[in-house]
Amino acid sequence: PPSSARRLFKEYAVEAGLHTPPALQSFAAGEAPAFDYIVKAASGSFGKEIEGPYRAGRAIASAPADPSQRPVFAEQFVQGTILKVWFWGRTPVFAHAHPYPQIVGDGDRSVERLLREKLRRVGQDWDHFADRKLVLACLEYQGTTDLDEVLPAGTSRWIDYRYQQRYEPNRGVTPTSDSALQDLISKSGDQVARMGEAIAALISRTIKLPLLISVDGMLDADGKIWWV
């Protein structure tokens, strides 16, 4: 179903007139997209099985040996605010809007030390961090390849772009304390409502009752939501 198959969701979003990042649905090893991109597994996986980001013109490192087992695609990388919006039927009821997690230089500590200390605060170890490859890709995308580099005071580097990746201690929330829905609607106009109508129409093809469903997206600097 589109809710678990990323490529099918993208096709449906385009049919519904919604924004979703362009993608290469198939490619050969060594092919170089003309846009900045990330590589995703075709099926949804809660932020896992995603690689990159990589700059336009950089060759895709490898194609799957057996696409029928783990099909992947290259999707244009869109920077912005990380979104997840929950709908009850067609009605939006809650939203998260998170900035990218980042490290901030102080003119003294190295990039590696900043990473180690940030991860230590949430009980993680940089040497064995499962998402180390993705963090390094994020840094390289921003021009940082030497972990011994000392960032000037106040200079930041973001280290992830996926929803719900924890890099800060959980301070606790209430069911309404961190909802960004009204602010999101004020910034993006009718885009959230249009997704609600589209997703409700899709679900109604097989299920005639309203469901609680969430949709991920990215809000860019121009107020456009790119549904992913």
Side-chain angles (χ1 to χ4, degrees):
S3 61
S4 61
R6 292 183 173 122
R7 291 194 293 194
L8 290 176
F9 171 80
K10 291 177 70 66
E11 291 172 5
Y12 179 74
V14 171
E15 290 175 6
L18 300 166
H19 301 296
T20 187
L24 287 177
Q25 300 292 357
S26 61
F27 55 85
E31 188 169 347
F35 47 76
D36 294 359
Y37 67 96
I38 56 179
V39 177
K40 288 183 171 182
S43 297
S45 53
F46 300 97
K48 303 303 181 184
E49 296 188 65
I50 297 176
E51 299 177 0
Y54 305 113
R55 291 289 181 182
R58 174 168 170 168
I60 299 172
S62 62
D66 184 353
S68 66
Q69 292 185 1
R70 186 184 177 274
V72 299
F73 64 97
E75 178 182 85
Q76 183 172 346
F77 179 59
V78 177
Q79 294 189 58
T81 300
I82 305 164
L83 301 179
K84 183 178 282 286
V85 184
W86 284 262
F87 298 88
W88 174 247
R90 62 175 39 82
T91 304
V93 294
F94 195 90
H96 278 158
H98 296 160
Y100 289 178
Q102 60 183 10
I103 55 173
V104 181
D106 58 6
D108 178 47
R109 290 175 293 175
S110 68
V111 168
E112 181 172 347
R113 184 177 170 188
L114 292 171
L115 287 169
R116 288 185 180 279
E117 293 177 359
K118 190 173 189 71
L119 290 172
R120 191 178 301 124
R121 289 196 293 271
V122 290
Q124 297 281 356
D125 175 14
W126 171 244
D127 290 328
H128 303 96
F129 188 47
D131 292 321
R132 181 184 177 110
K133 180 179 178 181
L134 186 138
V135 170
L136 293 174
C138 289
L139 292 171
E140 182 178 352
Y141 183 86
Q142 299 164 89
T144 294
T145 57
D146 182 2
L147 295 185
D148 291 328
E149 178 184 350
V150 175
L151 298 176
T155 298
S156 63
R157 293 285 186 270
W158 45 268
I159 57 174
D160 210 327
Y161 49 84
R162 301 166 300 163
Y163 174 75
Q164 203 70 0
Q165 306 304 312
R166 292 294 186 185
Y167 293 90
E168 299 293 341
N170 190 344
R171 306 299 184 185
V173 296
T174 71
T176 58
S177 64
D178 64 339
S179 179
L181 181 59
Q182 293 308 313
D183 183 61
L184 174 61
I185 291 172
S186 71
K187 292 177 179 177
S188 62
D190 68 348
Q191 295 176 79
V192 173
R194 286 168 52 210
M195 172 53 79
E197 294 292 337
I199 206 71
L202 176 63
I203 292 171
S204 68
R205 296 178 183 177
T206 53
I207 302 174
K208 300 306 180 182
L209 296 174
L211 294 177
L212 182 66
I213 190 167
S214 64
V215 185
D216 291 345
M218 197 72 70
L219 178 69
D220 71 16
D222 296 322
K224 182 183 292 186
I225 298 177
W226 298 87
W227 301 103
V228 298

